[in-house]
Amino acid sequence: MRTLYRNFETQAQIDAQYNPSLVLAPGDQPMEHFGAQAHRSRTTLRNTLDVPYGPTVEETLDIFPAAAPNAPVFVFIHGGYWRALSSKDFHGVALGLNALGITTVVVNYALCPFVTIDEITRQCRSAIAWVLRNIGQHGGDPSRVAIGGHSAGGHLTAMCLQTEWARDYGLPQDPLAGAIAFSGLYDLEPLRYSYLQPMIQLDDGIVRRNSPAFLVRPCKTPLWITWGGLESGEFARQSQTYHAAWQAAGNTATLQEHAGTNHFTVIHGLEDAQSPVCQWLAHALGQAA
């Protein structure tokens, strides 16, 4: 039998690696946790929602300002395999960082199949550019901005790090103080043969333009690449492949499995100020943790 990708011969084999819901315990509903934490953020933290950063209705930011002015900033890009969920589902990521005096911005973007991954990447880059230019109006320090994302958001974080900021946006070439990618997808080729293909509609060009493992440029931004220890071997391989490419370009990165977590719980640390994730971001942003 011919292989579809690497050593995978069937869609079922690829889906087993790339559909994290298949391994959830009966009754486990991770979105219930995210929804409850998002509600907690909106009802306990000061916020400004649905700030437009681009011309379409989906291009909005949700901002959770720190109490003190001139605060460092973390920009979070949500997952959902580019075809589901919104910024509103992940407001809980602001809880840990707000306690450390860090402003959190959660990015919303349009979804496949109504737009392509090319367009989603453009929107996320536009969102980061908006933050760098305008976050001062919301009490943030534009010289201390870090980004991060989960799953598809990890992929979009990596794509933002590929951006030619000086050429395309007139910003410093490496304007970000740090980045963290949770359980990202850095080689999109296997997803063409997965259950996701009818929604995300990958073709050769989209895969080539949006597989950051093969696009790494020299970049001064320190990066933490992580994934859950309970995730599939392919999520580990994706992170390891990207890390190797990042280092081969002369860049600085930490590669670390997050033991005991699955694809959904791997970002729970953003809800806890004392977690390694929040402490790492505080250090990268020059904020005493």
Side-chain angles (χ1 to χ4, degrees), residues 29-106:
Q29 300 291 328
M31 292 312 301
E32 290 185 1
H33 171 89
F34 290 130
Q37 295 296 75
H39 178 74
R40 179 181 163 204
S41 280
R42 288 190 295 272
T43 55
T44 63
L45 304 179
R46 189 163 54 99
N47 59 78
T48 303
L49 306 183
D50 300 315
V51 177
Y53 66 83
T56 68
V57 295
E58 294 92 351
E59 292 176 79
T60 60
L61 302 171
D62 300 329
I63 303 173
F64 292 79
N70 205 38
V73 180
F74 176 63
V75 182
F76 180 79
I77 306 172
H78 74 81
Y81 267 138
W82 308 276
R83 94 295 185 220
L85 308 176
S86 78
S87 60
K88 303 297 186 292
D89 296 302
F90 293 95
H91 288 168
V93 301
L95 291 167
L97 296 173
N98 184 270
L100 296 173
I102 297 170
T103 289
T104 299
V105 179
V106 187

Side-chain angles (χ1 to χ4, degrees), residues 85-151:
L85 308 176
S86 78
S87 60
K88 303 297 186 292
D89 296 302
F90 293 95
H91 288 168
V93 301
L95 291 167
L97 296 173
N98 184 270
L100 296 173
I102 297 170
T103 289
T104 299
V105 179
V106 187
V107 178
N108 198 66
Y109 52 84
L111 301 173
C112 296
F114 303 104
V115 299
T116 65
I117 291 178
D118 286 320
E119 170 60 10
I120 295 172
T121 294
R122 185 206 64 77
Q123 290 184 12
C124 290
R125 288 170 169 169
S126 180
I128 302 302
W130 188 98
V131 170
L132 291 166
R133 291 190 174 114
N134 297 284
I135 199 62
Q137 301 171 23
H138 297 268
D141 179 357
S143 72
R144 292 190 292 161
V145 175
I147 66 172
H150 170 236
S151 194

